[in-house]
């Protein structure tokens, strides 16, 4: 889910949220792929200056705790906590 808001002809802001459920079952979870369900929060802004657009965005990915103590594949067992940050910068030109 997301939303854009145009403040004026020069500035636009964006926010968003996404939930992504992991396809990896606990029985095959291992350190090679410590996947978990996650919540993604995003925000950004775009500024238009004449024919240029400059954008800056941020995404925080908050993973649920992954627990491989029940895996049946013989992999090392453990618990994984993960957090990811993504920063995006764009420049575009329109004729």
């Amino acid at each position: 889910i997301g939303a854009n808001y145009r403040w004026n002809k020069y500035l636009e802001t964006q926010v968003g949220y996404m939930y992504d459920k992991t396809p990896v079952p606990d029985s095959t979870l291992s350190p090679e792929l410590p996947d978990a369900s996650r919540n993604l929060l995003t925000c950004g802004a775009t500024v238009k200056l004449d024919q240029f657009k400059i954008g800056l965005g941020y995404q925080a990915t908050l993973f649920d705790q992954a627990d491989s103590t029940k895996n049946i594949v013989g992999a090392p067992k453990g618990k994984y906590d993960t957090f990811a940050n993504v920063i995006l910068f764009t420049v575009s030109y329109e004729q």
Side-chain angles (χ1 to χ4, degrees):
I1 186 168
N4 292 337
Y5 186 79
R6 180 168 290 147
W7 297 89
N8 53 45
K9 67 180 186 176
Y10 304 107
L11 177 64
E12 184 175 342
T13 56
Q14 305 86 27
V15 295
Y17 169 79
M18 183 176 85
Y19 178 75
D20 184 17
K21 184 164 175 54
T22 181
V24 179
D26 290 344
S27 62
T28 60
L29 187 68
S30 68
E32 293 85 17
L33 186 61
D35 197 23
S37 296
R38 65 205 92 198
N39 294 284
L40 294 94
L41 305 169
T42 62
C43 64
T46 304
V47 176
K48 184 173 182 177
L49 304 169
D50 296 323
Q51 294 174 309
F52 288 94
K53 282 187 178 179
I54 300 169
L56 181 64
Y58 172 72
Q59 174 181 302
T61 305
L62 300 97
F63 291 80
D64 292 346
Q65 186 180 66
D67 184 348
S68 69
T69 58
K70 298 175 186 168
N71 79 52
I72 60 172
V73 295
K77 299 183 184 319
K79 295 184 180 184
Y80 308 94
D81 290 309
T82 309
F83 179 81
N85 291 293
V86 178
I87 297 173
L88 175 71
F89 178 73
T90 61
V91 177
S92 61
Y93 177 80
E94 297 177 346
Q95 290 188 357

